[in-house]
Amino acid sequence: MKTVNQSLEALNDFLKENSITGTLTYRSEISHLVRCGRSQISLNVSEEGEKIFIELQKGKKKISSSSTFSLEKIAEIKEQITALYEKIEFMPEVEHLTPLKPIHEGDTDKHVADKKISNIDSNIMIDLFKAIDHEFTNDDVEISGAFSAGEYSYCVINSLVDKCLSYQGTDFNIEVVLQLLKHDKKELRSASVGENLSQFNQAEIVKELRTLFDIKTTTTREDVEPGEYDVVFSAHAFAELTNYMGYLTFHGEAYQYQMSMLNKETQKVGSKIFGENITIVDDPSDSDILFGRPVGINGISRSIFPLIKNGVLSNMFYSDKDTCDRFSLEVNNDANVSSIKVETGIGPSSFDEMIKSCTKPTIFIPYIHYMNFTNPAKGEFTGTSRFGTFLVNEGKIQSHLYNVRLNDSYMDLFNNIEWLSSQSAHINTSDTYGMRMASSITCPKFVKINKVKITGTSAPGRG
Amino acid sequence: MKTLFNSTLELLKENGAEYADIRFHKSDLTESISTLNTDINEYAFHDRSGLGIRVLYNGAWGFHSTENHSAESVKNCAEKALEKAKSSSTFMKEKIQLAPKEKYIETYNTPINTDPFTIPTKEKIDFLIELDKKLSHERFDYWGVNVTFYKREIFYMDSEGSEITKNLLEIDASFFASAQDVDQQKQSRNFILFQEKEGTVGWDNLLSEKQFLQTERIKNELLAVLDAPECKEEICDVILLPEMMALQTHETIGHALELDRILGYELSYAGGSHVDLEHFNELQFGTSKLNAWADGTLKCSPGSYGFDDDGVKAVSVQLIENGKLRNAITSRQMIVEANKKANKEIFKASGAACRAQSYSNFPIERMNNINVDFGNDGSIEELIKSCKNGIILESPKSWSIGSNRENFHFATEIGWKVIDGKISHVVRNPTYRGDSLKFWNSLERVGDESTWQVQQVFNCGKGQPNQVMRLGHGVPVCLFKDIQIGN
Ligand SMILES: [Zn+2]
């Protein structure tokens, strides 16, 4: 990382020597992935890449480019900068563009890569699937899943400062799905995420799969009528809801463009938008979260950033200078590197306790598949449950439901929370599009929400 | 590079590889221009270059990619790929075999008249800003144009003697306008550049009056939506215009018929398929009016690439014939596996649909051009005339599909209510949903050639790590009977 920082600083000096105003951003990744399909290894791949992003500004004109980076290419990159700066003349002026500001200056670099992940031997990843195969050797299951692990870094500097800011970290995320061939192709899933290899626990994954297998092979299939139900969401399902809700609530840019679910006239920072039992925060220094990144890729310094406090909207992320310029605002954070945490409550935290607490008919949803907004302005969404939906009543699992389709709004859901577990879990939210960037949400293990709208099921003929 | 690649493949064979290939993106350029409210929003130029090596050893795959082109790095990349294949081979129940293919030493070029990379930047920006200006209206809060030009030079070489060069070019272009409706909710209309059946892919295509200059239509449609009544819940006929037909085809025919998905390789992530191997040549997927293809040979489309990343020459495969399921979206590996699993020869040859997003990705089954044949139930006007109570739907707003592609829920940007063979009024926030098979078995009328066009798709995601793929859908306008809408 040190040599990258030095060469980026040298390139920045080149900008200054040539009186060019601009920002240079370096990003790198080393990624390993083993995928299992049909109970064998279907993919065992790795990739490595380094990129440089160049953004130049001249008065009210701007231009950007990116290319593959290597330490040997510095002379070539200087040529690219010169050529790009010549091209900036052809750009029309953007009236609202404000002058570039210096990035944060100070010792906030954080390099926490676990080299055991960076250079992981693919046999460690393969062994997980072998162990699962061994455990279920007599159970007629099809094993599939993925084990992804890697290192990523970013480093940013601009022509108004001398030193760059950088971050280097690692992450792994695992998901395993079993399809029960002798049990109506029921599916079950286990997933985990971490930032160093010591957090990987093979035995725990196998144990969780066994527990779920035993539940699923002893419950009967049933179908429910569409309607409103009390639903307990697992941490995975609730993190997914929070993640999607976050796109429509926490991004100041979307709010300004009126693409969020908040009404710009009536709902502002300070407005109560959710139930009192909901508190959400992004704090890179919190030891309870994964991937705490004290600097943004946009060069901002990050610290505790409350988003929702007892249902009241406390802050929105403004990460993008262009949008801020358009609305005369200041960049205040970088949502791209945030690690959101939903505060816990006083509800049950173990699976057994959670089931026992459901004395009235309640649906348990462990996972939401293919969520999408149906009407973002109202925060309305749809998605289906997956990997084992249960009907719980009188403190017991009554039956194994077909996947149900949810059609509801985040506004209703986050205002109808009955309880949140007292313990939390980390859930992977990185989307694996583009370059590696770890992302996770920390949230309660279970969350019970009242009056959730179910509009259909995957039972034959009930789409 | 050729000599280096040749010796690398030789070395891999000497070290026990059964098969290997190298995909080298000699150049991979992207130029994006976007405008917002008549300002330039972004001008960005990206270039990348690199190579990926895939190795089959003892019936198992290994893959590694690098962006360093030195001889030492290529050798190192090959060694890593081989090492991974060796590790994979320790957990294989059935060894991977590849179906036979022809050896090719050929070049494929996307047909273009004017390469957009040869047009001066200023000329491109000026044209797009002019187009942007046409979209403005006092009621609109935002509008803009987004154009991305892609140009790749790819060299492929494999251990079976094929050497294929591909010069590919694609243009992803769209524009939009948005505004607050009567309930202060955001509404928008988007237009996506489509391809003419006999056109070219080039800057000239963008200038075509027939499509990219349809700003007036889009503006008027958005204005109509803003004050329109909400779409009511009912069961009625649905007429899908090309953008919606493309999405419907994509989600419920395309993804459902990827052979790797049918076999269970996508279970943990994207999901499975309601189609099983025993359904081929048995299942009535749709009415007898449904004829669908996976056509890699269409003249102009992001789904036409000459050869897939298995080095198999593009073909056109009939997926559904008069409603009956016949074939799937296939690769060399999967057809061998599927035939073995089914204990009969369902798939005769690879459908040349194995593709990777880039050099850093491993190729998997991807749609090329999943097309639906036009029929003889007339023009759009005639389809409308034939409809007693229905709705015309266009432009995807949101989509959600069951994990086995067995059902779907789609929202569209605009709908036109049809009563007694005439358009009555525009409706706001239309949605429709259904079971995939039931839906295609409700296909009652298929529009004629005048309704058929090639929709471009640049954002199809699949696999882990997720690979975004470019493809096409040649589709007519169709009428479906008794569909649930507005729910
Ligand atoms: Zn897709």
Side-chain angles (χ1 to χ4, degrees):
Chain A
M1 207 61 212
K2 209 173 161 192
T3 45
V4 168
N5 286 18
Q6 281 165 357
S7 44
L8 214 61
E9 282 164 9
L11 283 169
N12 196 49
D13 289 340
F14 174 77
L15 290 182
K16 291 187 208 174
E17 283 155 23
N18 291 280
S19 309
I20 300 173
T21 306
T23 306
L24 304 171
T25 313
Y26 164 91
R27 288 185 68 177
S28 75
E29 74 169 316
I30 304 169
S31 284
H32 309 271
L33 181 114
V34 165
R35 228 178 160 197
C36 178
R38 301 192 69 207
S39 304
Q40 61 183 18
I41 299 305
S42 62
L43 218 64
N44 185 355
V45 302
S46 53
E47 62 176 293
E48 45 202 52
E50 292 176 281
K51 278 203 172 48
I52 182 159
F53 300 81
I54 305 163
E55 290 167 90
L56 306 181
Q57 201 174 323
K58 186 178 187 183
K60 299 260 179 206
K61 295 180 174 187
K62 59 171 182 169
I63 193 163
S64 59
S65 80
S66 78
S67 66
T68 38
F69 177 93
S70 74
L71 292 171
E72 297 85 53
K73 272 179 70 178
I74 299 299
E76 216 176 289
I77 293 166
K78 285 182 181 169
E79 281 169 32
Q80 276 174 29
I81 292 173
T82 310
L84 197 67
Y85 197 61
E86 280 164 18
K87 222 174 180 179
I88 204 168
E89 294 303 335
F90 304 129
M91 298 295 125
E93 291 201 333
V94 177
E95 210 36 59
H96 58 253
L97 203 68
T98 64
L100 191 72
K101 293 177 188 76
I103 61 162
H104 176 74
E105 288 176 277
D107 190 19
T108 39
D109 285 2
K110 189 174 172 187
H111 300 163
V112 287
D114 175 6
K115 292 296 167 187
K116 283 188 192 134
I117 288 186
S118 314
N119 311 310
I120 193 168
D121 179 346
S122 66
N123 284 307
I124 296 175
M125 303 155 96
I126 292 168
D127 282 347
L128 167 68
F129 297 106
K130 282 184 184 168
I132 296 164
D133 184 59
H134 182 74
E135 171 72 24
F136 292 94
T137 191
N138 299 316
D139 292 313
D140 226 344
V141 299
E142 195 119 288
I143 305 162
S144 60
F147 191 146
S148 166
E151 176 192 297
Y152 63 99
S153 73
Y154 55 89
C155 178
V156 57
I157 194 163
N158 75 19
S159 52
L160 304 177
V161 301
D162 298 322
K163 290 262 167 253
C164 45
L165 294 178
S166 63
Y167 176 88
Q168 186 181 43
T170 43
D171 73 298
F172 73 84
N173 65 75
I174 299 165
E175 61 180 334
V176 183
V177 169
L178 304 188
Q179 194 181 56
L180 316 188
L181 297 174
K182 281 209 178 124
H183 296 270
D184 195 24
K185 289 194 175 177
K186 284 177 183 173
E187 297 173 326
L188 55 95
R189 174 182 189 263
S190 168
S192 44
V193 58
E195 53 192 354
N196 53 61
L197 205 57
S198 65
Q199 291 163 329
F200 164 54
N201 188 333
Q202 182 174 300
E204 203 172 276
I205 294 171
V206 175
K207 197 175 138 208
E208 186 186 9
L209 290 168
R210 172 52 68 189
T211 309
L212 291 169
F213 179 89
D214 291 344
I215 295 171
K216 278 167 209 200
T217 48
T218 52
T219 46
T220 51
R221 276 279 204 205
E222 211 183 293
D223 195 21
V224 287
E225 287 302 314
E228 289 187 351
Y229 290 88
D230 287 350
V231 173
V232 173
F233 292 96
S234 75
H236 288 274
F238 191 71
E240 187 82 344
L241 287 169
T242 305
N243 199 23
Y244 274 71
M245 174 278 289
Y247 292 130
L248 296 181
T249 312
F250 301 146
H251 291 259
E253 289 88 355
Y255 178 77
Q256 294 300 335
Y257 285 121
Q258 293 182 294
M259 285 162 67
S260 88
M261 68 180 199
L262 302 178
N263 184 315
K264 221 170 152 181
E265 301 301 315
T266 58
Q267 293 166 311
K268 301 171 193 254
V269 168
S271 301
K272 185 161 182 303
I273 57 169
F274 296 151
E276 229 151 78
N277 51 5
I278 267 284
T279 294
I280 303 176
V281 66
D282 168 35
D283 181 3
S285 63
D286 186 344
S287 58
D288 257 6
I289 59 147
L290 294 177
F291 319 127
R293 286 163 290 219
V295 289
I297 308 176
N298 57 5
I300 200 157
S301 156
R302 286 166 29 81
S303 56
I304 185 163
F305 197 72
L307 293 157
I308 301 283
K309 188 132 208 272
N310 300 115
V312 176
L313 182 67
S314 312
N315 270 303
M316 280 184 244
F317 290 113
Y318 286 100
S319 323
D320 175 46
K321 178 179 179 290
D322 283 357
T323 309
C324 287
D325 282 353
R326 184 179 286 275
F327 294 101
S328 308
L329 295 158
E330 294 288 326
V331 170
N332 67 359
N333 207 316
D334 187 353
N336 299 305
V337 298
S338 64
S339 286
I340 283 174
K341 176 172 142 183
V342 181
E343 297 290 353
T344 50
I346 51 164
S349 284
S350 75
F351 185 79
D352 291 344
E353 269 176 64
M354 177 276 290
I355 295 293
K356 255 184 227 155
S357 78
C358 300
T359 52
K360 287 184 203 153
T362 305
I363 294 176
F364 170 68
I365 292 181
Y367 183 90
I368 301 175
H369 173 85
Y370 220 126
M371 183 146 54
N372 208 339
F373 309 125
T374 47
N375 186 355
K378 286 186 179 173
E380 289 171 350
F381 70 93
T382 185
T384 62
S385 67
R386 204 181 160 192
F387 303 123
T389 310
F390 300 134
L391 180 66
V392 191
N393 195 7
E394 293 166 348
K396 277 192 200 129
I397 297 172
Q398 302 292 332
S399 56
H400 184 142
L401 301 175
Y402 286 95
N403 294 337
V404 296
R405 181 167 285 283
L406 304 167
N407 259 298
D408 213 317
S409 80
Y410 302 112
M411 212 48 112
D412 284 349
L413 257 48
F414 284 85
N415 270 294
N416 282 328
I417 293 177
E418 186 180 314
W419 54 254
L420 305 100
S421 292
S422 57
Q423 288 172 23
S424 58
H426 301 305
I427 305 301
N428 173 50
T429 46
S430 71
D431 56 17
T432 73
Y433 282 94
M435 290 192 85
R436 189 172 200 98
M437 172 59 69
S439 165
S440 86
I441 285 182
T442 301
C443 71
K445 284 185 171 168
F446 302 101
V447 177
K448 185 170 184 181
I449 304 183
N450 304 129
K451 292 191 207 161
V452 178
K453 292 176 198 77
I454 307 288
T455 57
T457 79
S458 67
R462 291 291 296 275
Chain B
M1 289 308 260
K2 210 165 127 181
T3 327
L4 173 63
F5 292 166
N6 219 342
S7 62
T8 307
L9 291 171
E10 281 306 317
L11 192 71
L12 284 167
K13 277 202 279 187
E14 279 164 27
N15 284 302
E18 286 140 32
Y19 168 89
D21 59 39
I22 301 179
R23 252 180 313 118
F24 174 44
H25 284 225
K26 201 172 160 194
S27 84
D28 191 329
L29 309 178
T30 306
E31 185 183 35
S32 326
I33 309 170
S34 69
T35 70
L36 186 63
N37 290 20
T38 322
D39 280 331
I40 187 101
N41 189 45
E42 190 189 31
Y43 174 88
F45 192 86
H46 309 282
D47 83 70
R48 59 190 304 216
S49 173
L51 60 99
I53 301 181
R54 184 168 68 144
V55 178
L56 189 67
Y57 176 90
N58 195 15
W61 284 124
F63 176 87
H64 188 76
S65 76
T66 178
E67 288 173 342
N68 186 330
H69 309 162
S70 71
E72 196 194 331
S73 170
V74 172
K75 187 169 163 268
N76 191 269
C77 182
E79 279 167 4
K80 283 189 172 160
L82 179 65
E83 186 190 299
K84 287 191 180 295
K86 284 182 178 171
S87 303
S88 305
S89 73
T90 63
F91 186 39
M92 295 298 291
K93 295 187 174 171
E94 264 177 66
K95 287 184 181 180
I96 291 164
Q97 284 178 293
L98 302 175
K101 66 157 181 177
E102 303 247 333
K103 173 178 140 182
Y104 293 101
I105 298 176
E106 277 191 37
T107 297
Y108 173 84
N109 300 314
T110 305
I112 44 171
N113 277 344
T114 317
D115 178 350
F117 288 87
T118 64
I119 302 290
T121 308
K122 188 171 171 358
E123 192 179 324
K124 285 185 271 202
I125 291 175
D126 288 349
F127 169 74
L128 297 174
I129 293 272
E130 277 312 303
L131 198 59
D132 173 299
K133 280 184 190 159
K134 290 187 188 172
L135 287 161
S136 78
H137 186 277
E138 56 188 20
R139 284 192 74 181
F140 298 171
D141 47 15
Y142 298 101
W143 59 89
V145 181
N146 299 293
V147 178
T148 304
F149 307 105
Y150 299 101
K151 190 177 177 177
R152 290 174 292 174
E153 185 183 344
I154 303 168
F155 178 68
Y156 165 97
M157 199 168 188
D158 67 32
S159 58
E160 294 175 2
S162 285
E163 290 172 25
I164 298 162
T165 301
K166 294 193 276 190
N167 294 295
L168 303 177
L169 189 115
E170 296 103 16
I171 300 180
D172 179 10
S174 63
F175 58 73
F176 80 99
S178 72
Q180 304 288 311
D181 67 16
V182 280
D183 295 328
Q184 269 80 58
Q185 281 167 25
K186 186 79 143 190
Q187 296 290 344
S188 52
R189 277 295 285 131
N190 286 267
F191 172 77
I192 302 163
L193 184 83
F194 57 86
Q195 288 294 338
E196 311 264 353
K197 203 176 170 196
E198 289 301 324
T200 76
V201 181
W203 175 247
D204 41 304
N205 193 38
L206 212 67
L207 301 172
S208 157
E209 289 279 337
K210 236 174 145 181
Q211 43 176 342
F212 207 48
L213 303 181
Q214 301 195 58
T215 46
E216 273 312 296
R217 173 174 72 80
I218 291 294
K219 277 170 78 172
N220 291 335
E221 288 177 4
L222 178 59
L223 286 169
V225 168
L226 296 181
D227 303 316
E230 288 265 345
C231 176
K232 286 206 184 82
E233 189 177 334
E234 64 173 317
I235 290 171
C236 67
D237 293 353
V238 162
I239 297 174
L240 297 185
L241 298 186
E243 286 179 16
M244 274 326 286
M245 262 303 285
L247 180 74
Q248 188 72 50
T249 305
H250 183 92
E251 301 294 358
T252 60
I253 294 181
H255 280 305
L257 295 186
E258 292 157 348
L259 191 52
D260 56 345
R261 184 192 271 267
I262 292 169
L263 286 169
Y265 281 109
E266 289 294 322
L267 260 190
S268 66
Y269 186 62
S273 175
H274 59 88
V275 170
D276 271 325
L277 290 177
E278 59 263 33
H279 288 144
F280 288 91
N281 298 311
E282 297 294 334
L283 180 71
Q284 196 67 32
F285 200 98
T287 61
S288 60
K289 294 206 171 188
L290 179 62
N291 284 288
W293 301 77
D295 182 1
T297 67
L298 199 68
K299 192 178 161 205
C300 298
S301 163
S304 304
Y305 38 80
F307 298 84
D308 76 352
D309 294 334
D310 273 343
V312 178
K313 193 165 195 159
V315 285
S316 183
V317 173
Q318 184 150 25
L319 300 172
I320 299 167
E321 185 185 2
N322 301 326
K324 180 87 45 135
L325 181 66
R326 296 291 186 207
N327 213 319
I329 294 163
T330 60
S331 68
R332 295 181 76 191
Q333 175 189 343
M334 294 303 161
I335 61 165
V336 176
E337 251 181 82
N339 288 341
K340 210 186 266 176
K341 192 179 176 198
N343 224 346
K344 60 180 173 186
E345 193 186 59
I346 306 174
F347 306 101
K348 300 212 162 20
S350 164
C354 193
R355 282 198 288 164
Q357 174 186 306
S358 189
Y359 53 84
S360 55
N361 303 100
F362 189 89
I364 53 175
E365 253 92 344
R366 300 307 299 245
M367 294 179 221
N368 41 27
N369 300 293
I370 307 305
N371 301 344
V372 172
D373 282 348
F374 53 80
N376 42 29
D377 293 320
S379 62
I380 296 182
E381 292 73 25
E382 285 164 294
L383 289 170
I384 296 170
K385 218 182 266 176
S386 74
C387 172
K388 267 199 91 58
N389 177 34
I391 189 166
I392 305 168
L393 298 172
E394 182 62 325
S395 303
K397 185 165 158 184
S398 109
W399 49 94
S400 178
I401 304 99
S403 60
N404 289 316
R405 302 274 146 176
E406 69 280 40
N407 61 43
F408 61 87
H409 185 289
F410 296 150
T412 75
E413 288 181 357
I414 187 166
W416 293 264
K417 183 72 199 158
V418 176
I419 299 168
D420 294 330
K422 282 195 187 107
I423 292 178
S424 152
H425 58 276
V426 168
V427 296
R428 204 153 43 104
N429 299 329
T431 60
Y432 70 107
R433 65 188 178 93
D435 285 333
S436 304
L437 287 182
K438 205 173 147 202
F439 186 82
W440 286 107
N441 278 288
S442 311
L443 172 65
E444 193 166 271
R445 286 168 199 278
V446 178
D448 65 18
E449 194 171 358
S450 70
T451 72
W452 196 90
Q453 56 178 237
V454 181
Q455 290 288 325
Q456 307 197 99
V457 177
F458 283 86
N459 61 351
C460 174
K462 185 185 170 187
Q464 285 173 307
N466 207 295
Q467 300 189 47
V468 182
M469 197 52 74
R470 308 163 196 176
L471 50 106
H473 295 294
V475 285
V477 172
C478 288
L479 184 146
F480 299 85
K481 203 85 196 142
D482 298 335
I483 306 301
Q484 175 73 57
I485 67 160
N487 179 295

